[in-house]
């Protein structure tokens, strides 16, 4: 059964900088707050098949400073922090028996915001910026209609909440009904001045075309981690140029032998849900416009594509994958590829094929997997893994269909 988004609860959770990006310290700092928020949203869904929407904004000092440009210099730390947060989301929902990304559950999206006092001077240019890294003014004035804006009740949380409310323009405030609500918090901790340390060993190269591949069936937090990491690599451009994410989505014909194949989403459903998620973490422009969509059916492998232009300088290209390499060996003008640590050998294989064609290799960025080993110390491992497995999600659909 499809979820009903009509009158679904929507919320924003503001989280101040953690003591460190490791899972243990993120858990110690944020777990009581996440339990409070997820319980509140879950209780609002009792007896319905609606899906609540929760945006989580992670504040980090100096995130938009010149030292952290281009984005590739801080990718490794940001993706690790992202993995810790999404792991904690899975832990909280497993221990509290709360659904994720399904009817009666909570659709979570995580972005990063700059927590520095000098944000306004950094954002002086009128060039459009896109997430998942943005300044607090862009978040506050994005005209997203949150029912509640949750913030931690300790000093760090209150300071972040004050920065958010002070950033809301009068025009946005008049059109937004969100209420600020303090939540359960741990006592204050010291925030390091050097929480985010740019990687001086990584080449300072901006990437304007990034590729990733996957099945993306019944989008869950594992997919969201990977897709957000892909967006982290993409460098913002001005209005005259275009940044592009190319997402290879496995074609239906390659999935017929999957378990519970009758509950697999179609290719159309899978690219659309992926596009919806990427739009949610990247498009914070106040003026909401319908995306421009262009379909192409070219002969040969990987010829079926859908181009979705979200902003003048941002587009998503979805390619139906018909072989192991997808668009990486049919599109020369790609700059970087994102792979999980489980599939890191795939990046090397792609570059071997590109070199055979006389093309440049792609920069390879690796993403942590969700930390089930850490989660097992805090909750039932089976309950956690059921949140991050498309196969298990389909199995539950089979069970519900028989009830």
């Amino acid at each position: 059964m499809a979820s009903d988004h009509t009158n679904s609860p929507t919320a924003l959770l503001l989280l101040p900088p953690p003591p460190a990006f490791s899972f243990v310290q993120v858990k110690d700092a944020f777990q009581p707050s996440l339990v409070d928020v997820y319980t509140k949203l879950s209780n609002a869904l009792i007896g319905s098949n609606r899906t609540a929407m929760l945006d989580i904004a992670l504040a980090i000092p100096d995130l938009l400073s010149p030292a952290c440009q281009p984005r590739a210099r801080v990718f490794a730390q940001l993706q690790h922090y992202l993995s810790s947060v999404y792991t904690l989301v899975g832990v909280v929902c497993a221990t509290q028996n709360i659904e994720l990304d399904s009817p009666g559950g909570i659709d979570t999206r995580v972005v990063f915001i700059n927590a520095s006092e000098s944000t306004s001077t950094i954002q002086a240019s009128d060039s459009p910026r896109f997430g998942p890294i943005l300044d607090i003014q862009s978040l506050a004035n994005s005209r997203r209609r949150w029912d509640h804006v949750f913030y931690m009740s300790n000093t760090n949380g209150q300071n972040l909440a004050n920065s958010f409310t002070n950033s809301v323009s009068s025009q946005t405030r008049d059109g937004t009904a969100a209420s600020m609500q303090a939540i359960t918090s741990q006592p204050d901790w010291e925030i390091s001045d050097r929480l985010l340390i740019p990687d001086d060993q990584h080449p300072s190269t901006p990437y304007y075309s990034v590729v990733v591949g996957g099945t993306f069936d019944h989008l869950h937090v594992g997919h969201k981690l990977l897709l957000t990491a892909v967006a982290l690599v993409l460098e913002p451009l001005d209005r005259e140029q275009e940044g592009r994410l190319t997402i290879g989505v496995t074609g239906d014909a390659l999935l017929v032998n999957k378990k519970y194949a009758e509950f697999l989403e179609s290719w159309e459903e899978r690219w659309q849900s992926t596009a919806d998620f990427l739009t949610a973490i990247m498009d914070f422009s106040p003026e909401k416009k319908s995306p421009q969509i262009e379909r192409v059916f070219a002969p040969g492998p990987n010829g079926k594509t859908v181009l979705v232009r979200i902003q003048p300088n941002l587009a998503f290209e979805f390619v139906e994958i018909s072989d192991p390499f997808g668009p990486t060996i049919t599109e020369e003008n790609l700059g970087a590829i994102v792979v999980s640590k489980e599939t890191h050998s795939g990046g090397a294989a792609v570059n071997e094929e590109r070199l055979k064609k006389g093309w440049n290799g792609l920069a390879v960025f690796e993403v942590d997997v969700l930390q089930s080993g850490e989660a097992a110390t805090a909750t039932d491992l089976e309950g956690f893994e059921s949140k991050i497995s498309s196969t298990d999600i389909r199995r539950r659909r089979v069970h519900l269909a028989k009830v």
Side-chain angles (χ1 to χ4, degrees):
M1 180 185 297
S3 60
D4 176 13
H5 293 285
T6 305
N7 298 320
S8 294
T10 60
L12 169 67
L13 171 59
L14 300 170
L15 292 180
F21 294 147
S22 68
F23 174 76
V24 171
Q25 289 182 285
V26 167
K27 173 179 173 290
D28 289 344
F30 297 147
Q31 185 168 21
S33 300
L34 263 64
V35 169
D36 193 358
V37 168
Y38 277 87
T39 300
K40 283 180 167 64
L41 291 176
S42 181
N43 288 341
L45 296 170
I46 292 175
S48 78
N49 70 329
R50 296 175 298 163
T51 301
M53 304 291 181
L54 176 64
D55 291 322
I56 300 179
L58 308 175
I60 300 178
D62 301 320
L63 183 57
L64 291 176
S65 68
C68 294
Q69 310 300 320
R71 289 180 171 185
R73 298 191 67 204
V74 291
F75 172 83
Q77 284 185 290
L78 291 183
Q79 69 83 24
H80 183 66
Y81 184 22
L82 191 68
S83 173
S84 295
V85 171
Y86 270 126
T87 298
L88 182 57
V89 168
V91 167
V92 166
C93 290
T95 57
Q96 304 300 312
N97 196 27
I98 293 172
E99 282 292 334
L100 280 172
D101 304 304
S102 62
I106 300 169
D107 179 1
T108 304
R109 300 87 65 96
V110 181
V111 298
F112 298 92
I113 54 173
N114 187 68
S116 304
E117 293 296 328
S118 57
T119 301
S120 59
T121 60
I122 296 171
Q123 189 67 6
S125 170
D126 64 354
S127 296
R129 219 180 243 291
F130 50 74
I133 299 174
L134 65 157
D135 58 90
I136 199 166
Q137 285 94 339
S138 294
L139 179 70
N141 295 293
S142 62
R143 292 187 178 274
R144 296 197 175 187
R145 299 191 66 85
W146 297 294
D147 300 317
H148 299 284
V149 176
F150 296 110
Y151 63 94
M152 298 177 69
S153 57
N154 58 23
T155 303
N156 293 334
Q158 290 175 352
N159 288 341
L160 181 59
N162 290 338
S163 295
F164 178 84
T165 55
N166 291 339
S167 299
V168 179
S169 68
S170 58
Q171 183 179 9
T172 302
R173 186 177 293 111
D174 292 341
T176 303
S179 65
M180 303 294 293
Q181 185 173 342
I183 55 172
T184 304
S185 302
Q186 294 284 39
D188 284 313
W189 55 84
E190 184 177 352
I191 298 175
S192 171
D193 292 335
R194 297 285 290 167
L195 181 63
L196 187 64
I197 303 175
D199 182 5
D200 291 329
Q201 301 302 313
H202 197 284
S204 297
T205 303
Y207 297 100
Y208 303 110
S209 181
V210 187
V211 65
V212 71
T215 301
F216 303 115
D217 177 55
H218 292 95
L219 209 68
H220 55 65
V221 291
H223 297 133
K224 292 176 178 181
L225 168 62
L226 178 63
L227 291 168
T228 307
V230 175
L232 284 173
V233 177
L234 190 68
E235 196 71 21
L237 286 162
D238 62 34
R239 294 182 186 276
E240 303 303 319
Q241 299 170 289
E242 179 184 86
R244 180 175 296 196
L245 296 183
T246 300
I247 302 96
V249 181
T250 308
D252 294 338
L254 298 182
L255 302 178
V256 293
N257 293 324
K258 288 276 190 179
K259 288 185 177 180
Y260 315 112
E262 67 273 26
F263 280 86
L264 275 163
E265 294 177 316
S266 68
W267 188 82
E268 284 288 323
E269 291 173 309
R270 288 182 283 121
W271 82 253
Q272 288 178 15
S273 63
T274 303
D276 288 344
F277 173 75
L278 287 170
T279 301
I281 65 167
M282 299 186 76
D283 185 11
F284 289 86
S285 54
E287 300 298 327
K288 302 304 182 206
K289 298 180 180 178
S290 297
Q292 300 175 11
I293 298 178
E294 177 184 348
R295 293 176 179 266
V296 176
F297 297 91
N302 310 306
K304 180 179 177 180
T305 66
V306 180
L307 183 66
V308 182
R309 184 164 285 103
I310 301 299
Q311 297 178 9
N313 67 331
L314 175 61
F316 309 141
E317 181 185 39
F318 297 94
V319 181
E320 183 179 42
I321 293 179
S322 57
D323 59 49
F325 298 101
T328 62
I329 60 170
T330 57
E331 297 186 20
E332 182 177 2
N333 296 324
L334 299 171
I337 185 172
V338 176
V339 298
S340 73
K341 291 191 184 298
E342 290 180 325
T343 60
H344 66 92
S345 60
V350 161
N351 281 336
E352 287 180 9
E353 293 300 313
R354 288 178 65 87
L355 291 175
K356 290 177 184 178
K357 298 169 75 72
W359 296 354
N360 291 330
L362 303 177
V364 180
F365 291 83
E366 291 189 6
V367 183
D368 293 341
V369 295
L370 290 174
Q371 302 163 41
S372 59
E374 297 284 1
T377 65
T379 187
D380 171 47
L381 181 59
E382 183 178 353
F384 174 82
E385 291 187 336
S386 72
K387 308 290 185 187
I388 60 173
S389 166
S390 295
T391 301
D392 201 67
I393 292 171
R394 294 196 300 274
R395 179 188 60 78
R396 296 204 303 273
R397 295 290 194 276
V398 171
H399 175 74
L400 289 172
K402 293 178 179 179
V403 173

